[in-house]
Amino acid sequence: MFENLSERLSGVFDRLTKQGSLSEDDVKTALREVRVALLEADVSLPVARDFIKTIQEKATGQAVTKSITPGQQVVKIVHDALINTLRGKGEAGTLKIDSPPAPILMVGLQGGGKTTTTAKLAKRLTEKDGKRVLMASLDVNRPAAMEQLAILGTQINVDTLPIVKGQDPVQIAKRAKTQASLGGYDVYVLDTAGRLSIDDELMNQVEAVRDVANPRETILVVDGLTGQDAVNTAQNFDERIGITGVILTRMDGDGRGGAALSMRAVTGKPIKFVGLGEKMDALETFEPDRIAGRILGMGDIVSLVEKAQETLEAEQAEKMMRRMTKGQFNMNDLRMQ
């Protein structure tokens, strides 16, 4: 994940950090390369444009912090901007699953890994959060979809709703709700049907299930390899259904990672988890701080700048305190405060 972007940005910042001083032209040239790197990583154009604009405003004329080079200061600015771009409204990895039984609705297109991800999430909730989970397949369209979830349930030791042939998705959702209440489950996860593309039939079906289940979380499962199509899918589902978060699958196979960078900026929804393999435990919390560090490959520089900034702020506070005790507080001190 992000290998291509990381490689390109590392080259840009290596040149920057080796320079003793930076001119405005140096910063502009570097940012042009950053923008090209973002676009090549399949980040959407408006997101890349806003990202560069944010950095340029902070990097141009930036006061250089003591004990670090200007190039390292720019790296810190880019790092902070990356975190802000990746972070949605809500914490990654957290789900609203209080007041049992809490319904979680899994939605998405066919082929995005929704059923496998449903099982991965159920396993995570069982083992890491100590929740008692019930899974239910509402996919009456794809052959053997229900059986697939039942087999996965056996593998991970999580209960699945018994299959009753001839029921529609709404009837299955109602039965899952009843079973979860009577069976003392903390969470029940509804795996809805997908299609090869977004159509009215799919959306109407998911809307009907949503209205019956009243889910605490509506999670969109989307294939990270589809790049900008993943972002478009998220927008469409959010407009019709209202999603609360995203799980990006197959991120281990995507060296670009543009979908992750664009997702929050375009939809405003947090990426809750990422799928990084076929195994049932290959579901990781999406951590913007760690991802930003991974993209830049420069976590040591970021922490160095943070330490230097803290030291500088402490020094300034001490100087100001000494001036105030001598009755020398002026307008510059007020501005600094």
PDB file of all heavy atoms in Angstrom, residues 172-207:
ATOM      1  N   ILE A 172     -35.431 -11.663   6.090  1.00  0.00           N
ATOM      2  CA  ILE A 172     -34.226 -12.216   6.732  1.00  0.00           C
ATOM      3  C   ILE A 172     -33.695 -11.234   7.779  1.00  0.00           C
ATOM      4  O   ILE A 172     -33.297 -11.631   8.879  1.00  0.00           O
ATOM      5  CB  ILE A 172     -33.127 -12.527   5.677  1.00  0.00           C
ATOM      6  CG1 ILE A 172     -33.633 -13.559   4.664  1.00  0.00           C
ATOM      7  CG2 ILE A 172     -31.852 -13.048   6.368  1.00  0.00           C
ATOM      8  CD1 ILE A 172     -32.724 -13.748   3.458  1.00  0.00           C
ATOM      9  N   ALA A 173     -33.722  -9.926   7.449  1.00  0.00           N
ATOM     10  CA  ALA A 173     -33.248  -8.895   8.387  1.00  0.00           C
ATOM     11  C   ALA A 173     -34.102  -8.893   9.660  1.00  0.00           C
ATOM     12  O   ALA A 173     -33.576  -8.780  10.772  1.00  0.00           O
ATOM     13  CB  ALA A 173     -33.288  -7.527   7.726  1.00  0.00           C
ATOM     14  N   LYS A 174     -35.422  -9.039   9.499  1.00  0.00           N
ATOM     15  CA  LYS A 174     -36.329  -9.083  10.659  1.00  0.00           C
ATOM     16  C   LYS A 174     -36.045 -10.309  11.517  1.00  0.00           C
ATOM     17  O   LYS A 174     -36.041 -10.244  12.752  1.00  0.00           O
ATOM     18  CB  LYS A 174     -37.787  -9.101  10.185  1.00  0.00           C
ATOM     19  CG  LYS A 174     -38.285  -7.758   9.670  1.00  0.00           C
ATOM     20  CD  LYS A 174     -39.721  -7.874   9.172  1.00  0.00           C
ATOM     21  CE  LYS A 174     -40.241  -6.520   8.673  1.00  0.00           C
ATOM     22  NZ  LYS A 174     -41.593  -6.649   8.077  1.00  0.00           N
ATOM     23  N   ARG A 175     -35.789 -11.445  10.838  1.00  0.00           N
ATOM     24  CA  ARG A 175     -35.515 -12.691  11.567  1.00  0.00           C
ATOM     25  C   ARG A 175     -34.186 -12.589  12.325  1.00  0.00           C
ATOM     26  O   ARG A 175     -34.052 -13.063  13.463  1.00  0.00           O
ATOM     27  CB  ARG A 175     -35.499 -13.863  10.569  1.00  0.00           C
ATOM     28  CG  ARG A 175     -35.487 -15.229  11.206  1.00  0.00           C
ATOM     29  CD  ARG A 175     -35.995 -16.309  10.251  1.00  0.00           C
ATOM     30  NE  ARG A 175     -35.291 -16.325   9.000  1.00  0.00           N
ATOM     31  CZ  ARG A 175     -34.181 -17.034   8.756  1.00  0.00           C
ATOM     32  NH1 ARG A 175     -33.657 -17.770   9.727  1.00  0.00           N
ATOM     33  NH2 ARG A 175     -33.616 -17.022   7.580  1.00  0.00           N
ATOM     34  N   ALA A 176     -33.197 -11.920  11.685  1.00  0.00           N
ATOM     35  CA  ALA A 176     -31.884 -11.727  12.329  1.00  0.00           C
ATOM     36  C   ALA A 176     -32.025 -10.861  13.576  1.00  0.00           C
ATOM     37  O   ALA A 176     -31.415 -11.137  14.618  1.00  0.00           O
ATOM     38  CB  ALA A 176     -30.912 -11.087  11.345  1.00  0.00           C
ATOM     39  N   LYS A 177     -32.867  -9.841  13.472  1.00  0.00           N
ATOM     40  CA  LYS A 177     -33.099  -8.939  14.615  1.00  0.00           C
ATOM     41  C   LYS A 177     -33.716  -9.698  15.789  1.00  0.00           C
ATOM     42  O   LYS A 177     -33.280  -9.552  16.944  1.00  0.00           O
ATOM     43  CB  LYS A 177     -34.027  -7.801  14.160  1.00  0.00           C
ATOM     44  CG  LYS A 177     -34.216  -6.695  15.172  1.00  0.00           C
ATOM     45  CD  LYS A 177     -35.075  -5.593  14.568  1.00  0.00           C
ATOM     46  CE  LYS A 177     -35.224  -4.417  15.521  1.00  0.00           C
ATOM     47  NZ  LYS A 177     -36.003  -3.313  14.923  1.00  0.00           N
ATOM     48  N   THR A 178     -34.707 -10.520  15.484  1.00  0.00           N
ATOM     49  CA  THR A 178     -35.379 -11.318  16.519  1.00  0.00           C
ATOM     50  C   THR A 178     -34.416 -12.317  17.148  1.00  0.00           C
ATOM     51  O   THR A 178     -34.336 -12.453  18.379  1.00  0.00           O
ATOM     52  CB  THR A 178     -36.586 -12.070  15.911  1.00  0.00           C
ATOM     53  OG1 THR A 178     -37.461 -11.121  15.294  1.00  0.00           O
ATOM     54  CG2 THR A 178     -37.341 -12.843  16.976  1.00  0.00           C
ATOM     55  N   GLN A 179     -33.670 -13.024  16.278  1.00  0.00           N
ATOM     56  CA  GLN A 179     -32.713 -14.041  16.756  1.00  0.00           C
ATOM     57  C   GLN A 179     -31.633 -13.409  17.639  1.00  0.00           C
ATOM     58  O   GLN A 179     -31.253 -13.958  18.667  1.00  0.00           O
ATOM     59  CB  GLN A 179     -32.064 -14.719  15.539  1.00  0.00           C
ATOM     60  CG  GLN A 179     -31.014 -15.773  15.868  1.00  0.00           C
ATOM     61  CD  GLN A 179     -31.637 -17.031  16.458  1.00  0.00           C
ATOM     62  OE1 GLN A 179     -32.787 -17.352  16.187  1.00  0.00           O
ATOM     63  NE2 GLN A 179     -30.874 -17.722  17.297  1.00  0.00           N
ATOM     64  N   ALA A 180     -31.147 -12.209  17.218  1.00  0.00           N
ATOM     65  CA  ALA A 180     -30.101 -11.519  17.988  1.00  0.00           C
ATOM     66  C   ALA A 180     -30.614 -11.111  19.364  1.00  0.00           C
ATOM     67  O   ALA A 180     -29.904 -11.199  20.365  1.00  0.00           O
ATOM     68  CB  ALA A 180     -29.613 -10.297  17.223  1.00  0.00           C
ATOM     69  N   SER A 181     -31.871 -10.678  19.421  1.00  0.00           N
ATOM     70  CA  SER A 181     -32.474 -10.269  20.703  1.00  0.00           C
ATOM     71  C   SER A 181     -32.696 -11.475  21.621  1.00  0.00           C
ATOM     72  O   SER A 181     -32.331 -11.453  22.808  1.00  0.00           O
ATOM     73  CB  SER A 181     -33.811  -9.569  20.462  1.00  0.00           C
ATOM     74  OG  SER A 181     -33.623  -8.403  19.704  1.00  0.00           O
ATOM     75  N   LEU A 182     -33.278 -12.527  21.061  1.00  0.00           N
ATOM     76  CA  LEU A 182     -33.591 -13.716  21.863  1.00  0.00           C
ATOM     77  C   LEU A 182     -32.331 -14.482  22.248  1.00  0.00           C
ATOM     78  O   LEU A 182     -32.276 -15.097  23.312  1.00  0.00           O
ATOM     79  CB  LEU A 182     -34.542 -14.636  21.082  1.00  0.00           C
ATOM     80  CG  LEU A 182     -35.945 -14.077  20.779  1.00  0.00           C
ATOM     81  CD1 LEU A 182     -36.726 -15.039  19.901  1.00  0.00           C
ATOM     82  CD2 LEU A 182     -36.709 -13.801  22.076  1.00  0.00           C
ATOM     83  N   GLY A 183     -31.328 -14.445  21.365  1.00  0.00           N
ATOM     84  CA  GLY A 183     -30.110 -15.240  21.600  1.00  0.00           C
ATOM     85  C   GLY A 183     -29.065 -14.547  22.456  1.00  0.00           C
ATOM     86  O   GLY A 183     -28.006 -15.113  22.720  1.00  0.00           O
ATOM     87  N   GLY A 184     -29.342 -13.294  22.856  1.00  0.00           N
ATOM     88  CA  GLY A 184     -28.406 -12.580  23.716  1.00  0.00           C
ATOM     89  C   GLY A 184     -27.127 -12.139  23.019  1.00  0.00           C
ATOM     90  O   GLY A 184     -26.054 -12.101  23.629  1.00  0.00           O
ATOM     91  N   TYR A 185     -27.222 -11.810  21.733  1.00  0.00           N
ATOM     92  CA  TYR A 185     -26.046 -11.356  20.976  1.00  0.00           C
ATOM     93  C   TYR A 185     -25.798  -9.860  21.203  1.00  0.00           C
ATOM     94  O   TYR A 185     -26.742  -9.088  21.379  1.00  0.00           O
ATOM     95  CB  TYR A 185     -26.232 -11.621  19.475  1.00  0.00           C
ATOM     96  CG  TYR A 185     -26.226 -13.095  19.118  1.00  0.00           C
ATOM     97  CD1 TYR A 185     -27.411 -13.825  19.061  1.00  0.00           C
ATOM     98  CD2 TYR A 185     -25.030 -13.759  18.863  1.00  0.00           C
ATOM     99  CE1 TYR A 185     -27.418 -15.173  18.752  1.00  0.00           C
ATOM    100  CE2 TYR A 185     -25.016 -15.112  18.549  1.00  0.00           C
ATOM    101  CZ  TYR A 185     -26.210 -15.812  18.498  1.00  0.00           C
ATOM    102  OH  TYR A 185     -26.201 -17.155  18.195  1.00  0.00           O
ATOM    103  N   ASP A 186     -24.523  -9.481  21.181  1.00  0.00           N
ATOM    104  CA  ASP A 186     -24.159  -8.062  21.324  1.00  0.00           C
ATOM    105  C   ASP A 186     -24.297  -7.319  20.002  1.00  0.00           C
ATOM    106  O   ASP A 186     -24.665  -6.143  19.958  1.00  0.00           O
ATOM    107  CB  ASP A 186     -22.705  -7.920  21.808  1.00  0.00           C
ATOM    108  CG  ASP A 186     -22.493  -8.585  23.155  1.00  0.00           C
ATOM    109  OD1 ASP A 186     -23.225  -8.228  24.096  1.00  0.00           O
ATOM    110  OD2 ASP A 186     -21.621  -9.464  23.261  1.00  0.00           O
ATOM    111  N   VAL A 187     -23.954  -8.008  18.919  1.00  0.00           N
ATOM    112  CA  VAL A 187     -23.926  -7.390  17.585  1.00  0.00           C
ATOM    113  C   VAL A 187     -24.480  -8.381  16.576  1.00  0.00           C
ATOM    114  O   VAL A 187     -24.232  -9.591  16.683  1.00  0.00           O
ATOM    115  CB  VAL A 187     -22.461  -7.034  17.172  1.00  0.00           C
ATOM    116  CG1 VAL A 187     -22.426  -6.393  15.791  1.00  0.00           C
ATOM    117  CG2 VAL A 187     -21.801  -6.121  18.194  1.00  0.00           C
ATOM    118  N   TYR A 188     -25.252  -7.887  15.595  1.00  0.00           N
ATOM    119  CA  TYR A 188     -25.566  -8.743  14.453  1.00  0.00           C
ATOM    120  C   TYR A 188     -25.219  -7.991  13.172  1.00  0.00           C
ATOM    121  O   TYR A 188     -25.509  -6.810  13.008  1.00  0.00           O
ATOM    122  CB  TYR A 188     -27.011  -9.254  14.468  1.00  0.00           C
ATOM    123  CG  TYR A 188     -28.116  -8.243  14.359  1.00  0.00           C
ATOM    124  CD1 TYR A 188     -28.811  -8.048  13.153  1.00  0.00           C
ATOM    125  CD2 TYR A 188     -28.532  -7.504  15.475  1.00  0.00           C
ATOM    126  CE1 TYR A 188     -29.861  -7.143  13.071  1.00  0.00           C
ATOM    127  CE2 TYR A 188     -29.577  -6.605  15.398  1.00  0.00           C
ATOM    128  CZ  TYR A 188     -30.240  -6.424  14.188  1.00  0.00           C
ATOM    129  OH  TYR A 188     -31.272  -5.522  14.109  1.00  0.00           O
ATOM    130  N   VAL A 189     -24.514  -8.696  12.281  1.00  0.00           N
ATOM    131  CA  VAL A 189     -23.974  -8.098  11.056  1.00  0.00           C
ATOM    132  C   VAL A 189     -24.769  -8.603   9.862  1.00  0.00           C
ATOM    133  O   VAL A 189     -24.879  -9.823   9.654  1.00  0.00           O
ATOM    134  CB  VAL A 189     -22.479  -8.434  10.878  1.00  0.00           C
ATOM    135  CG1 VAL A 189     -21.885  -7.629   9.723  1.00  0.00           C
ATOM    136  CG2 VAL A 189     -21.702  -8.173  12.164  1.00  0.00           C
ATOM    137  N   LEU A 190     -25.330  -7.677   9.100  1.00  0.00           N
ATOM    138  CA  LEU A 190     -26.154  -8.015   7.940  1.00  0.00           C
ATOM    139  C   LEU A 190     -25.354  -7.832   6.659  1.00  0.00           C
ATOM    140  O   LEU A 190     -24.960  -6.720   6.308  1.00  0.00           O
ATOM    141  CB  LEU A 190     -27.408  -7.134   7.916  1.00  0.00           C
ATOM    142  CG  LEU A 190     -28.302  -7.179   9.165  1.00  0.00           C
ATOM    143  CD1 LEU A 190     -29.402  -6.139   9.067  1.00  0.00           C
ATOM    144  CD2 LEU A 190     -28.894  -8.578   9.356  1.00  0.00           C
ATOM    145  N   ASP A 191     -25.107  -8.935   5.964  1.00  0.00           N
ATOM    146  CA  ASP A 191     -24.354  -8.914   4.702  1.00  0.00           C
ATOM    147  C   ASP A 191     -25.338  -8.817   3.546  1.00  0.00           C
ATOM    148  O   ASP A 191     -25.992  -9.793   3.195  1.00  0.00           O
ATOM    149  CB  ASP A 191     -23.506 -10.195   4.613  1.00  0.00           C
ATOM    150  CG  ASP A 191     -22.722 -10.277   3.309  1.00  0.00           C
ATOM    151  OD1 ASP A 191     -22.428  -9.211   2.732  1.00  0.00           O
ATOM    152  OD2 ASP A 191     -22.409 -11.405   2.868  1.00  0.00           O
ATOM    153  N   THR A 192     -25.471  -7.611   2.974  1.00  0.00           N
ATOM    154  CA  THR A 192     -26.460  -7.395   1.909  1.00  0.00           C
ATOM    155  C   THR A 192     -25.919  -7.829   0.540  1.00  0.00           C
ATOM    156  O   THR A 192     -24.719  -8.048   0.377  1.00  0.00           O
ATOM    157  CB  THR A 192     -26.874  -5.914   1.824  1.00  0.00           C
ATOM    158  OG1 THR A 192     -25.710  -5.120   1.524  1.00  0.00           O
ATOM    159  CG2 THR A 192     -27.488  -5.442   3.117  1.00  0.00           C
ATOM    160  N   ALA A 193     -26.828  -7.915  -0.425  1.00  0.00           N
ATOM    161  CA  ALA A 193     -26.447  -8.316  -1.786  1.00  0.00           C
ATOM    162  C   ALA A 193     -25.742  -7.177  -2.505  1.00  0.00           C
ATOM    163  O   ALA A 193     -25.994  -6.003  -2.228  1.00  0.00           O
ATOM    164  CB  ALA A 193     -27.697  -8.724  -2.566  1.00  0.00           C
ATOM    165  N   GLY A 194     -24.865  -7.527  -3.428  1.00  0.00           N
ATOM    166  CA  GLY A 194     -24.196  -6.521  -4.257  1.00  0.00           C
ATOM    167  C   GLY A 194     -24.569  -6.712  -5.722  1.00  0.00           C
ATOM    168  O   GLY A 194     -25.251  -7.668  -6.080  1.00  0.00           O
ATOM    169  N   ARG A 195     -24.165  -5.776  -6.528  1.00  0.00           N
ATOM    170  CA  ARG A 195     -24.364  -5.872  -7.984  1.00  0.00           C
ATOM    171  C   ARG A 195     -23.046  -5.510  -8.656  1.00  0.00           C
ATOM    172  O   ARG A 195     -22.134  -4.989  -8.018  1.00  0.00           O
ATOM    173  CB  ARG A 195     -25.439  -4.890  -8.476  1.00  0.00           C
ATOM    174  CG  ARG A 195     -26.803  -5.080  -7.908  1.00  0.00           C
ATOM    175  CD  ARG A 195     -27.535  -6.269  -8.549  1.00  0.00           C
ATOM    176  NE  ARG A 195     -28.943  -6.231  -8.195  1.00  0.00           N
ATOM    177  CZ  ARG A 195     -29.454  -6.540  -7.028  1.00  0.00           C
ATOM    178  NH1 ARG A 195     -28.647  -6.884  -6.052  1.00  0.00           N
ATOM    179  NH2 ARG A 195     -30.748  -6.514  -6.791  1.00  0.00           N
ATOM    180  N   LEU A 196     -22.968  -5.752  -9.950  1.00  0.00           N
ATOM    181  CA  LEU A 196     -21.760  -5.372 -10.682  1.00  0.00           C
ATOM    182  C   LEU A 196     -21.678  -3.858 -10.853  1.00  0.00           C
ATOM    183  O   LEU A 196     -20.611  -3.296 -11.051  1.00  0.00           O
ATOM    184  CB  LEU A 196     -21.719  -6.060 -12.055  1.00  0.00           C
ATOM    185  CG  LEU A 196     -21.546  -7.592 -11.980  1.00  0.00           C
ATOM    186  CD1 LEU A 196     -21.660  -8.207 -13.354  1.00  0.00           C
ATOM    187  CD2 LEU A 196     -20.220  -7.968 -11.349  1.00  0.00           C
ATOM    188  N   SER A 197     -22.839  -3.206 -10.795  1.00  0.00           N
ATOM    189  CA  SER A 197     -22.854  -1.737 -10.848  1.00  0.00           C
ATOM    190  C   SER A 197     -24.033  -1.243 -10.021  1.00  0.00           C
ATOM    191  O   SER A 197     -24.937  -2.005  -9.704  1.00  0.00           O
ATOM    192  CB  SER A 197     -22.976  -1.244 -12.299  1.00  0.00           C
ATOM    193  OG  SER A 197     -24.199  -1.702 -12.859  1.00  0.00           O
ATOM    194  N   ILE A 198     -24.004   0.045  -9.693  1.00  0.00           N
ATOM    195  CA  ILE A 198     -25.082   0.624  -8.873  1.00  0.00           C
ATOM    196  C   ILE A 198     -26.343   0.751  -9.725  1.00  0.00           C
ATOM    197  O   ILE A 198     -26.318   1.314 -10.810  1.00  0.00           O
ATOM    198  CB  ILE A 198     -24.643   1.996  -8.331  1.00  0.00           C
ATOM    199  CG1 ILE A 198     -23.535   1.793  -7.294  1.00  0.00           C
ATOM    200  CG2 ILE A 198     -25.805   2.742  -7.706  1.00  0.00           C
ATOM    201  CD1 ILE A 198     -22.847   3.044  -6.863  1.00  0.00           C
ATOM    202  N   ASP A 199     -27.447   0.194  -9.255  1.00  0.00           N
ATOM    203  CA  ASP A 199     -28.727   0.323  -9.961  1.00  0.00           C
ATOM    204  C   ASP A 199     -29.844   0.550  -8.947  1.00  0.00           C
ATOM    205  O   ASP A 199     -29.663   0.390  -7.742  1.00  0.00           O
ATOM    206  CB  ASP A 199     -29.009  -0.900 -10.845  1.00  0.00           C
ATOM    207  CG  ASP A 199     -29.000  -2.215 -10.061  1.00  0.00           C
ATOM    208  OD1 ASP A 199     -29.327  -2.192  -8.850  1.00  0.00           O
ATOM    209  OD2 ASP A 199     -28.671  -3.260 -10.635  1.00  0.00           O
ATOM    210  N   ASP A 200     -31.003   0.924  -9.443  1.00  0.00           N
ATOM    211  CA  ASP A 200     -32.138   1.237  -8.562  1.00  0.00           C
ATOM    212  C   ASP A 200     -32.596   0.027  -7.759  1.00  0.00           C
ATOM    213  O   ASP A 200     -32.976   0.153  -6.591  1.00  0.00           O
ATOM    214  CB  ASP A 200     -33.312   1.789  -9.380  1.00  0.00           C
ATOM    215  CG  ASP A 200     -33.139   3.274  -9.675  1.00  0.00           C
ATOM    216  OD1 ASP A 200     -32.398   3.925  -8.909  1.00  0.00           O
ATOM    217  OD2 ASP A 200     -33.700   3.761 -10.654  1.00  0.00           O
ATOM    218  N   GLU A 201     -32.544  -1.156  -8.380  1.00  0.00           N
ATOM    219  CA  GLU A 201     -33.004  -2.363  -7.690  1.00  0.00           C
ATOM    220  C   GLU A 201     -32.145  -2.623  -6.449  1.00  0.00           C
ATOM    221  O   GLU A 201     -32.656  -2.908  -5.369  1.00  0.00           O
ATOM    222  CB  GLU A 201     -32.933  -3.566  -8.637  1.00  0.00           C
ATOM    223  CG  GLU A 201     -33.578  -4.820  -8.043  1.00  0.00           C
ATOM    224  CD  GLU A 201     -33.336  -6.063  -8.882  1.00  0.00           C
ATOM    225  OE1 GLU A 201     -32.845  -5.936 -10.021  1.00  0.00           O
ATOM    226  OE2 GLU A 201     -33.637  -7.158  -8.371  1.00  0.00           O
ATOM    227  N   LEU A 202     -30.826  -2.503  -6.617  1.00  0.00           N
ATOM    228  CA  LEU A 202     -29.907  -2.708  -5.488  1.00  0.00           C
ATOM    229  C   LEU A 202     -30.180  -1.687  -4.391  1.00  0.00           C
ATOM    230  O   LEU A 202     -30.310  -2.031  -3.212  1.00  0.00           O
ATOM    231  CB  LEU A 202     -28.461  -2.585  -5.973  1.00  0.00           C
ATOM    232  CG  LEU A 202     -27.370  -2.424  -4.895  1.00  0.00           C
ATOM    233  CD1 LEU A 202     -27.271  -3.674  -4.034  1.00  0.00           C
ATOM    234  CD2 LEU A 202     -26.023  -2.097  -5.509  1.00  0.00           C
ATOM    235  N   MET A 203     -30.265  -0.417  -4.780  1.00  0.00           N
ATOM    236  CA  MET A 203     -30.441   0.649  -3.790  1.00  0.00           C
ATOM    237  C   MET A 203     -31.784   0.540  -3.063  1.00  0.00           C
ATOM    238  O   MET A 203     -31.853   0.746  -1.847  1.00  0.00           O
ATOM    239  CB  MET A 203     -30.314   2.017  -4.468  1.00  0.00           C
ATOM    240  CG  MET A 203     -28.899   2.350  -4.882  1.00  0.00           C
ATOM    241  SD  MET A 203     -27.758   2.252  -3.490  1.00  0.00           S
ATOM    242  CE  MET A 203     -26.312   3.013  -4.160  1.00  0.00           C
ATOM    243  N   ASN A 204     -32.836   0.215  -3.795  1.00  0.00           N
ATOM    244  CA  ASN A 204     -34.157   0.059  -3.172  1.00  0.00           C
ATOM    245  C   ASN A 204     -34.142  -1.069  -2.141  1.00  0.00           C
ATOM    246  O   ASN A 204     -34.729  -0.959  -1.061  1.00  0.00           O
ATOM    247  CB  ASN A 204     -35.218  -0.227  -4.238  1.00  0.00           C
ATOM    248  CG  ASN A 204     -35.480   0.986  -5.112  1.00  0.00           C
ATOM    249  OD1 ASN A 204     -35.212   2.122  -4.720  1.00  0.00           O
ATOM    250  ND2 ASN A 204     -35.998   0.767  -6.320  1.00  0.00           N
ATOM    251  N   GLN A 205     -33.440  -2.156  -2.495  1.00  0.00           N
ATOM    252  CA  GLN A 205     -33.359  -3.311  -1.600  1.00  0.00           C
ATOM    253  C   GLN A 205     -32.612  -2.943  -0.314  1.00  0.00           C
ATOM    254  O   GLN A 205     -33.050  -3.263   0.793  1.00  0.00           O
ATOM    255  CB  GLN A 205     -32.642  -4.451  -2.335  1.00  0.00           C
ATOM    256  CG  GLN A 205     -32.753  -5.800  -1.656  1.00  0.00           C
ATOM    257  CD  GLN A 205     -32.005  -6.865  -2.434  1.00  0.00           C
ATOM    258  OE1 GLN A 205     -30.823  -7.113  -2.185  1.00  0.00           O
ATOM    259  NE2 GLN A 205     -32.679  -7.497  -3.393  1.00  0.00           N
ATOM    260  N   VAL A 206     -31.476  -2.247  -0.470  1.00  0.00           N
ATOM    261  CA  VAL A 206     -30.667  -1.864   0.696  1.00  0.00           C
ATOM    262  C   VAL A 206     -31.414  -0.846   1.554  1.00  0.00           C
ATOM    263  O   VAL A 206     -31.367  -0.896   2.785  1.00  0.00           O
ATOM    264  CB  VAL A 206     -29.287  -1.310   0.258  1.00  0.00           C
ATOM    265  CG1 VAL A 206     -28.485  -0.854   1.467  1.00  0.00           C
ATOM    266  CG2 VAL A 206     -28.496  -2.357  -0.501  1.00  0.00           C
ATOM    267  N   GLU A 207     -32.122   0.073   0.908  1.00  0.00           N
ATOM    268  CA  GLU A 207     -32.917   1.070   1.650  1.00  0.00           C
ATOM    269  C   GLU A 207     -33.983   0.387   2.512  1.00  0.00           C
ATOM    270  O   GLU A 207     -34.200   0.762   3.669  1.00  0.00           O
ATOM    271  CB  GLU A 207     -33.584   2.054   0.683  1.00  0.00           C
ATOM    272  CG  GLU A 207     -32.634   3.140   0.181  1.00  0.00           C
ATOM    273  CD  GLU A 207     -33.290   4.041  -0.863  1.00  0.00           C
ATOM    274  OE1 GLU A 207     -34.350   3.656  -1.413  1.00  0.00           O
ATOM    275  OE2 GLU A 207     -32.748   5.121  -1.146  1.00  0.00           O
TER     276      GLU A 207
END
